[in-house]
Structures are given as C-alpha cells and as structure tokens.
Amino acid sequence: MAKQKTQFVCQNCGRTTPAFMGRCPRCGQFDTMVEEVIVVETPGAGPRTRTAVDSAPQRLTDITSDGVERLEIPVEEFSRVLGGGIVPGSLVLVGGDPGIGKSTLLLEVAALISSRYGPTLYVSGEESARQIKMRADRLDIQARDLYLVTETNLDAILAHVESVKPVMLIVDSIQTTHSDDLRSAAGSVSQVRAAAARLQELAKESGLAVFLVGHVTKEGAIAGPRVLEHIVDTVLYLEGDPFHRYRLLRSVKNRFGATSEVGVFEMSAGGMEEVANPSEAFLAERQVNAPGSAIAVTLEGTRPLLVELQALASSTSFPNPRRTANGIDYNRLLLLTAVLGRRVRLSVFDKDIFVNVIGGLQIKEPAADLAVALAIASSVRDRPVYADLAVIGEVGLSGELRAVSQLEARLKEAQKLGFKRCLIPRSSRRREIQVPDGLGIIACTNLGEAIDQGLLPAHKND
Ligand SMILES: Nc1ncnc2c1ncn2[C@@H]1O[C@H](COP(=O)(O)OP(=O)(O)OP(=O)(O)O)[C@@H](O)[C@H]1O
Ligand SMILES: [Mg+2]
C-alpha cells in the first residue's frame, strides 16, 4: 500500500507545519491550517538513484535572444503595463477583487490576439461557455479563432492546449483549477501551486503565453498562495472602486519590463475601454471656481496624473470634530489638519472635514499633501483656488513645503492639460528644472505662503 505523508499548510500565507495548529505562526490567522498530502511513496522503489541529466550548461555568449518577438496588443494601456506587449512563453497572473472586470479584460485581449496571431484558448472554471458567449456578445467580440472551454481539470486543460495549439492561453481562474495528482481540494495552496508550476512548465516549453486569473483576498494577497507570485513572471493587479467607472491595471512584478506601470480603463456596458488620457477624464466633471477643490499632480508608477481633490469643512455638532478621508490616507489627513491649525492658524478645530479624491483613485504619495491642504483651506475660507493652478508638494510638520520626485514630468503633464500655473515647493528650484513653455511657476517655502498665493482674493464682504 502506498504510504502517505501529510503536512498542514496555511491557506493564507503558505506556511507549512508538521502538526496541526489553530493559529498560523507566520501570519497569525486562525483556522487556516489545512492538512494536505505531500509525498506518495511506493514501497520497493529502492534507494534513490541519480537522475538522468537532460540539461546542458551553455555559454551566455552562445545563447541568442533574438527571434523572441512580443505579441503586440492594440490596447496601449494594457501593452505598456506588460512592458510593451505579451512575451511568448511568459506566465502572467492577473489578480483583483471579485467583479472588478478581470474576465472582461482578458476576453477582450484574447479576442484581439486571436484575430492577429492565431488561435487563443480561454479556459473558464467559473462560467459556462454560454455565459462567456453572452459577455462576448455584449462586448461585440467576433473572433473566429477564439476557443472557449469550461474545464477545471489541469490534465484536460493541457490536452485541450495540445489539440488547439493556441498562441495564448487564459486560465480563469487558477483557484478553480485542480490536478488529480493531489488529493487536496481545488483552491488549496498545494493545488494552486502545482497547477501554476505545470502551466509555467508548459509556457516555457512551448512558448505559449499563459494568463492566470487569481482572486484577491480581503487582505490584498492573492487568495491563499503568496508563493504564486514567485512562480509567475508578471503579476498584474486590476483595482478600482466598484462604484466608480475607472479601473487601474498595475504591474507589481514584471520580469520583462518596469514595475509599477499603470494602465487606466473605464468599465462600460461595451467592456473595458482604455482611457488614453486619464488626466482629462479625471478632470472632466470639475466645477471651476468652486471652493474646496484643488488639482494635484500625482504619479502612478512613472506616469503623472492630474486629479481633483475636494474638501468640505462644515461646523461640527460633536465635541470631537470628524475627519473623513476618501482616497487618501486618514492619518495623513489628521496630520495635514493639525499643521493647518497650528502653523497656518486656520480654524479647523471646530469643523468636520471631509476629503474626497475624484474618480475613485487612491493616492498614496505625499506629493498630493499640498493639494489636500489647499482644498481644505479653500473650503474653510470659502475662497476658490485659481482655476488654472495645479499644485505639487509635500507638507512637513512645521508647515514647510518639501520637494517631490519627478517634478519635470509632473509639470509637463499640467501644461499638457492646459494649466497655466503651478504651485511648487521653493526647495525644488534649487536644482535646475526645465519648465515647459507657457507654464508659470509659483515657488513657495511654506504652507501659509502657498495658501495666500493659491486662493482667490477674499470677497469684499468677508
Ligand atoms: N451589462 C453590463 N453593463 C455594464 N457593466 C456590466 C454589465 N454586465 C457586467 N458588467 C460589469 O462587469 C463586471 C463583471 O466583470 P467580470 O466578470 O469581468 O469581473 P471578474 O473580475 O472576472 O469577476 P469574478 O471575480 O466574479 O470572476 C461587473 O461588476 C459589472 O461592473
Ligand atoms: Mg471572472
């Protein structure tokens, strides 16, 4: 009889232990340890013999890298995130929250690739072929060479690949794919890891580009195995607020291009449409000359984006005034209101303050500080920020303005969008910077000065 060894694997972080534990010693999650079979030994197999060696080391100079052409995708936003097209033989993981649009995006890409390069195979373990066809009709996809199959068994998927011989394979999702070799349930760490490793092998051997869809847990890790991120060549996350139209495709790991590149898409009834000029889209509904609004130039990856930040200050009816941050870090908002109160003597202590980033974007970098502070000051003083002014700068605890990275790229984007002036930290000017033609620069040392320069003069009756 075959002897089985088992181990306990944390379904959250992949940590293995020989004995059951109620709480994972690595990630601290409760009740995530699941017993899984690791080795199936056949008695009488004898002592280990040397494995036959198939591989042979080659001189680096003898290996040619030409002949590997990327598959071009006519969707610029997608192509850029991958580093300029799909690399044949690569394994790409696309993660994202449920319903964010992963299947939609990949179906569109598969259709485009199939019409240009030949057969593509879309394997779905979650939806029936009819369901996918309904989606394809909605997206108006008519691709002759796009093959669909509903399958969760890994061996069957490999057999389909053998018969269709596609240039690109999409597995939606890796959590539903399971191999008969393992006894654990589909979606468990060992199943997901084994399936990904087999598909990686397939990609490397046959030069087939493989896309895996992965679900993201609440904590933001791809469900179960963080290890998956190490196996694949590229990890893309599709993110966005489900209540907003915009979706960001972000690369967090890429063996074939720069990471933290971002592609912007818009979710519509016709599918995921690329947004070629995201800054323009984010500013489309802006109300000029309304108090409490400022335009920040933030960086998403290497790409500058203009976004509108809105603030509303209203008299509070609570002993502790409320602070609500939507799209920016809550603690950053507390810090900025404290600086506004102490250093600029703005009366924020008796006011509830709400800050919102338009378009459902999450801004993490401090370069948007000045825009947040200016929007709050604008609402408190009820004076609008100049309509043609973009704002860049980090705010320090003494109210000083600090330099930010990639200033020139940010200024260029502001000028491209028709802004006439830009408020920047004076310390940025120490270095020689190239200012785009037609863009006026207002350099300020501290927050007080920036507020004086950025807000329209007070009304007479103020
Ligand atoms: N008729 C429609 N019009 C507009 N948007 C739609 C329509 N039908 C679906 N959608 C959008 O498509 C989204 C679902 O997209 P999709 O199935 O690609 O997401 P997913 O990330 O693959 O989800 P899952 O994790 O469930 O597989 C919905 O959340 C909805 O926003
Ligand atoms: Mg899906």
Side-chain angles (χ1 to χ4, degrees):
M1 226 182 78
K3 190 181 152 205
Q4 286 183 3
K5 267 193 187 169
T6 61
Q7 65 182 358
F8 291 83
V9 185
C10 171
Q11 301 300 303
N12 185 49
C13 70
R15 163 84 191 232
T16 56
T17 54
F20 178 76
M21 287 187 177
R23 183 176 189 224
C24 171
R26 187 197 279 160
C27 67
Q29 293 287 311
F30 286 95
D31 213 14
T32 54
M33 289 290 183
V34 172
E35 186 174 22
E36 290 179 4
V37 180
I38 37 167
V39 186
V40 183
E41 284 176 12
T42 11
R48 265 191 76 159
T49 50
R50 243 174 209 229
T51 36
V53 180
D54 289 338
S55 54
Q58 272 178 290
R59 281 211 172 82
L60 181 66
T61 46
D62 292 346
I63 304 170
T64 53
S65 63
D66 39 76
V68 184
E69 292 234 334
R70 289 180 187 242
L71 307 181
E72 280 172 31
I73 326 160
V75 186
E76 173 55 29
E77 295 291 301
F78 194 83
S79 181
R80 199 191 41 249
V81 175
L82 283 174
I86 300 173
V87 178
S90 64
L91 186 65
V92 182
L93 176 68
V94 181
D97 287 327
I100 204 79
K102 302 177 291 292
S103 309
T104 309
L105 182 63
L106 287 177
L107 190 66
E108 285 181 349
V109 169
L112 290 168
I113 290 291
S114 74
S115 58
R116 201 177 257 218
Y117 293 99
T120 53
L121 179 60
Y122 189 105
V123 181
S124 179
E126 307 192 329
E127 292 164 294
S128 67
R130 275 193 55 193
Q131 258 176 307
I132 302 170
K133 172 69 179 154
M134 270 165 60
R135 176 181 296 134
D137 286 345
R138 177 161 60 84
L139 308 182
D140 198 19
I141 289 174
Q142 279 137 4
R144 262 211 79 224
D145 269 345
L146 175 58
Y147 292 84
L148 301 179
V149 63
T150 306
E151 186 54 75
T152 55
N153 188 306
L154 187 59
D155 293 304
I157 293 174
L158 296 178
H160 292 316
V161 169
E162 191 82 359
S163 64
V164 175
K165 297 204 171 28
V167 289
M168 177 177 168
L169 167 72
I170 291 159
V171 179
D172 186 359
S173 67
I174 188 70
Q175 273 93 3
T176 54
T177 309
H178 68 93
S179 159
D180 287 339
D181 299 346
L182 297 170
R183 298 223 178 142
S184 48
S188 65
V189 172
S190 41
Q191 281 285 7
V192 168
R193 198 188 291 161
R198 284 278 288 283
L199 290 167
Q200 169 78 305
E201 223 170 85
L202 172 78
K204 297 290 170 254
E205 270 170 13
S206 60
L208 166 72
V210 182
F211 279 73
L212 309 176
V213 173
H215 296 291
V216 170
T217 56
K218 267 208 313 287
E219 291 75 30
I222 291 199
R226 266 276 164 83
V227 274
L228 203 56
E229 296 186 6
H230 297 287
I231 297 174
V232 301
D233 296 316
T234 303
V235 181
L236 307 179
Y237 278 105
L238 190 61
E239 50 185 47
D241 189 335
F243 300 109
H244 285 92
R245 290 172 300 164
Y246 298 113
R247 304 279 183 267
L248 297 186
L249 185 69
R250 195 186 292 275
S251 86
V252 290
K253 165 185 170 175
N254 196 351
R255 288 183 180 151
F256 308 108
T259 47
S260 54
E261 276 297 349
V262 171
V264 184
F265 295 87
E266 189 177 343
M267 188 62 147
S268 67
M272 297 274 270
E273 281 158 30
E274 64 175 330
V275 181
N277 196 341
S279 299
E280 210 171 86
F282 289 134
L283 300 186
E285 292 169 51
R286 180 181 172 214
Q287 246 192 324
V288 175
N289 285 338
S293 151
I295 305 300
V297 191
T298 167
L299 271 191
E300 284 292 345
T302 53
R303 181 185 205 193
L305 272 185
L306 269 82
V307 278
E308 182 184 357
L309 280 149
Q310 285 190 331
L312 180 68
S314 68
S315 304
T316 187
S317 43
F318 298 101
N320 287 330
R322 278 195 299 173
R323 309 282 180 245
T324 308
N326 199 357
I328 61 165
D329 182 38
Y330 177 69
N331 289 322
R332 203 79 207 163
L333 173 60
L334 293 186
L335 186 148
L336 289 171
T337 43
V339 172
L340 282 169
R342 275 300 301 277
R343 307 288 173 207
V344 190
R345 304 260 162 234
L346 200 69
S347 62
V348 285
F349 301 111
D350 54 353
K351 294 189 176 62
D352 290 336
I353 292 177
F354 307 89
V355 172
N356 190 22
V357 181
I358 303 299
L361 224 64
Q362 290 284 334
I363 301 182
K364 298 198 177 79
E365 61 156 5
D369 282 358
L370 185 55
V372 176
L374 211 60
I376 297 173
S378 160
S379 181
V380 171
R381 299 217 164 132
D382 207 21
R383 284 160 51 189
V385 176
Y386 284 101
D388 59 356
L389 184 75
V391 184
I392 305 166
E394 180 180 344
V395 176
L397 286 184
S398 347
E400 83 279 16
L401 300 189
R402 298 176 161 267
V404 301
S405 62
Q406 305 255 12
L407 185 65
E408 284 174 14
R410 294 180 204 249
L411 292 178
K412 234 161 105 190
E413 181 75 6
Q415 187 248 6
K416 212 172 84 190
L417 268 281
F419 284 83
K420 294 280 179 288
R421 291 176 303 158
C422 207
L423 201 64
I424 64 167
R426 191 177 292 275
S427 52
S428 303
R429 294 231 75 167
R430 272 194 217 124
R431 219 166 33 88
E432 198 51 47
I433 51 164
Q434 261 194 335
V435 179
D437 289 340
L439 189 74
I441 294 292
I442 309 170
C444 295
T445 327
N446 57 48
L447 190 52
E449 201 186 329
I451 292 172
D452 290 342
Q453 297 276 343
L455 300 189
L456 249 68
H459 300 302
K460 288 206 175 66
N461 54 0
D462 255 12

PDB file of all heavy atoms in Angstrom, residues 261-274:
ATOM      1  N   GLU A 261       4.007  50.195 -13.442  1.00  0.00           N
ATOM      2  CA  GLU A 261       3.368  50.879 -14.567  1.00  0.00           C
ATOM      3  C   GLU A 261       1.855  50.756 -14.364  1.00  0.00           C
ATOM      4  O   GLU A 261       1.379  49.777 -13.798  1.00  0.00           O
ATOM      5  CB  GLU A 261       3.743  50.209 -15.882  1.00  0.00           C
ATOM      6  CG  GLU A 261       5.065  50.654 -16.462  1.00  0.00           C
ATOM      7  CD  GLU A 261       5.109  52.120 -16.830  1.00  0.00           C
ATOM      8  OE1 GLU A 261       4.049  52.773 -16.834  1.00  0.00           O
ATOM      9  OE2 GLU A 261       6.205  52.612 -17.098  1.00  0.00           O
ATOM     10  N   VAL A 262       1.143  51.742 -14.849  1.00  0.00           N
ATOM     11  CA  VAL A 262      -0.298  51.720 -14.634  1.00  0.00           C
ATOM     12  C   VAL A 262      -1.035  51.942 -15.944  1.00  0.00           C
ATOM     13  O   VAL A 262      -0.633  52.782 -16.743  1.00  0.00           O
ATOM     14  CB  VAL A 262      -0.689  52.826 -13.626  1.00  0.00           C
ATOM     15  CG1 VAL A 262      -2.183  52.978 -13.547  1.00  0.00           C
ATOM     16  CG2 VAL A 262      -0.128  52.510 -12.269  1.00  0.00           C
ATOM     17  N   GLY A 263      -2.076  51.153 -16.169  1.00  0.00           N
ATOM     18  CA  GLY A 263      -2.943  51.371 -17.316  1.00  0.00           C
ATOM     19  C   GLY A 263      -4.321  51.754 -16.792  1.00  0.00           C
ATOM     20  O   GLY A 263      -4.781  51.191 -15.808  1.00  0.00           O
ATOM     21  N   VAL A 264      -4.957  52.705 -17.426  1.00  0.00           N
ATOM     22  CA  VAL A 264      -6.265  53.152 -16.934  1.00  0.00           C
ATOM     23  C   VAL A 264      -7.356  52.714 -17.910  1.00  0.00           C
ATOM     24  O   VAL A 264      -7.233  52.903 -19.114  1.00  0.00           O
ATOM     25  CB  VAL A 264      -6.293  54.688 -16.750  1.00  0.00           C
ATOM     26  CG1 VAL A 264      -7.611  55.132 -16.156  1.00  0.00           C
ATOM     27  CG2 VAL A 264      -5.144  55.129 -15.871  1.00  0.00           C
ATOM     28  N   PHE A 265      -8.388  52.100 -17.368  1.00  0.00           N
ATOM     29  CA  PHE A 265      -9.517  51.633 -18.167  1.00  0.00           C
ATOM     30  C   PHE A 265     -10.812  52.176 -17.591  1.00  0.00           C
ATOM     31  O   PHE A 265     -10.872  52.546 -16.428  1.00  0.00           O
ATOM     32  CB  PHE A 265      -9.587  50.101 -18.155  1.00  0.00           C
ATOM     33  CG  PHE A 265      -8.417  49.447 -18.811  1.00  0.00           C
ATOM     34  CD1 PHE A 265      -7.270  49.176 -18.087  1.00  0.00           C
ATOM     35  CD2 PHE A 265      -8.465  49.115 -20.148  1.00  0.00           C
ATOM     36  CE1 PHE A 265      -6.176  48.576 -18.689  1.00  0.00           C
ATOM     37  CE2 PHE A 265      -7.383  48.511 -20.760  1.00  0.00           C
ATOM     38  CZ  PHE A 265      -6.246  48.244 -20.033  1.00  0.00           C
ATOM     39  N   GLU A 266     -11.819  52.160 -18.446  1.00  0.00           N
ATOM     40  CA  GLU A 266     -13.124  52.597 -17.985  1.00  0.00           C
ATOM     41  C   GLU A 266     -14.090  51.441 -18.205  1.00  0.00           C
ATOM     42  O   GLU A 266     -14.148  50.869 -19.294  1.00  0.00           O
ATOM     43  CB  GLU A 266     -13.559  53.817 -18.794  1.00  0.00           C
ATOM     44  CG  GLU A 266     -14.788  54.459 -18.260  1.00  0.00           C
ATOM     45  CD  GLU A 266     -15.165  55.714 -19.042  1.00  0.00           C
ATOM     46  OE1 GLU A 266     -14.329  56.252 -19.779  1.00  0.00           O
ATOM     47  OE2 GLU A 266     -16.321  56.122 -18.899  1.00  0.00           O
ATOM     48  N   MET A 267     -14.835  51.076 -17.155  1.00  0.00           N
ATOM     49  CA  MET A 267     -15.787  49.978 -17.257  1.00  0.00           C
ATOM     50  C   MET A 267     -17.094  50.521 -17.815  1.00  0.00           C
ATOM     51  O   MET A 267     -17.695  51.414 -17.229  1.00  0.00           O
ATOM     52  CB  MET A 267     -16.005  49.415 -15.849  1.00  0.00           C
ATOM     53  CG  MET A 267     -16.811  48.163 -15.831  1.00  0.00           C
ATOM     54  SD  MET A 267     -15.973  46.884 -16.736  1.00  0.00           S
ATOM     55  CE  MET A 267     -16.447  45.459 -15.863  1.00  0.00           C
ATOM     56  N   SER A 268     -17.500  49.969 -18.947  1.00  0.00           N
ATOM     57  CA  SER A 268     -18.776  50.426 -19.502  1.00  0.00           C
ATOM     58  C   SER A 268     -19.542  49.202 -19.989  1.00  0.00           C
ATOM     59  O   SER A 268     -19.033  48.088 -19.933  1.00  0.00           O
ATOM     60  CB  SER A 268     -18.516  51.392 -20.663  1.00  0.00           C
ATOM     61  OG  SER A 268     -17.927  50.689 -21.715  1.00  0.00           O
ATOM     62  N   ALA A 269     -20.751  49.418 -20.482  1.00  0.00           N
ATOM     63  CA  ALA A 269     -21.552  48.287 -20.966  1.00  0.00           C
ATOM     64  C   ALA A 269     -20.843  47.602 -22.125  1.00  0.00           C
ATOM     65  O   ALA A 269     -20.979  46.406 -22.339  1.00  0.00           O
ATOM     66  CB  ALA A 269     -22.922  48.778 -21.401  1.00  0.00           C
ATOM     67  N   GLY A 270     -20.043  48.350 -22.869  1.00  0.00           N
ATOM     68  CA  GLY A 270     -19.308  47.800 -24.005  1.00  0.00           C
ATOM     69  C   GLY A 270     -17.990  47.150 -23.621  1.00  0.00           C
ATOM     70  O   GLY A 270     -17.194  46.823 -24.480  1.00  0.00           O
ATOM     71  N   GLY A 271     -17.721  47.026 -22.313  1.00  0.00           N
ATOM     72  CA  GLY A 271     -16.479  46.380 -21.870  1.00  0.00           C
ATOM     73  C   GLY A 271     -15.509  47.347 -21.226  1.00  0.00           C
ATOM     74  O   GLY A 271     -15.894  48.431 -20.794  1.00  0.00           O
ATOM     75  N   MET A 272     -14.272  46.913 -21.173  1.00  0.00           N
ATOM     76  CA  MET A 272     -13.236  47.758 -20.568  1.00  0.00           C
ATOM     77  C   MET A 272     -12.607  48.594 -21.674  1.00  0.00           C
ATOM     78  O   MET A 272     -11.906  48.062 -22.529  1.00  0.00           O
ATOM     79  CB  MET A 272     -12.161  46.878 -19.926  1.00  0.00           C
ATOM     80  CG  MET A 272     -12.667  46.036 -18.821  1.00  0.00           C
ATOM     81  SD  MET A 272     -12.651  46.940 -17.287  1.00  0.00           S
ATOM     82  CE  MET A 272     -11.059  46.552 -16.731  1.00  0.00           C
ATOM     83  N   GLU A 273     -12.866  49.878 -21.629  1.00  0.00           N
ATOM     84  CA  GLU A 273     -12.305  50.729 -22.669  1.00  0.00           C
ATOM     85  C   GLU A 273     -11.099  51.438 -22.121  1.00  0.00           C
ATOM     86  O   GLU A 273     -11.135  51.937 -20.997  1.00  0.00           O
ATOM     87  CB  GLU A 273     -13.341  51.751 -23.118  1.00  0.00           C
ATOM     88  CG  GLU A 273     -14.341  51.152 -24.073  1.00  0.00           C
ATOM     89  CD  GLU A 273     -15.644  51.922 -24.131  1.00  0.00           C
ATOM     90  OE1 GLU A 273     -15.597  53.150 -23.925  1.00  0.00           O
ATOM     91  OE2 GLU A 273     -16.678  51.288 -24.356  1.00  0.00           O
ATOM     92  N   GLU A 274     -10.038  51.486 -22.917  1.00  0.00           N
ATOM     93  CA  GLU A 274      -8.843  52.146 -22.400  1.00  0.00           C
ATOM     94  C   GLU A 274      -9.064  53.656 -22.363  1.00  0.00           C
ATOM     95  O   GLU A 274      -9.758  54.222 -23.199  1.00  0.00           O
ATOM     96  CB  GLU A 274      -7.610  51.793 -23.224  1.00  0.00           C
ATOM     97  CG  GLU A 274      -7.633  52.251 -24.641  1.00  0.00           C
ATOM     98  CD  GLU A 274      -6.304  51.963 -25.327  1.00  0.00           C
ATOM     99  OE1 GLU A 274      -5.271  51.959 -24.656  1.00  0.00           O
ATOM    100  OE2 GLU A 274      -6.322  51.759 -26.542  1.00  0.00           O
TER     101      GLU A 274
END
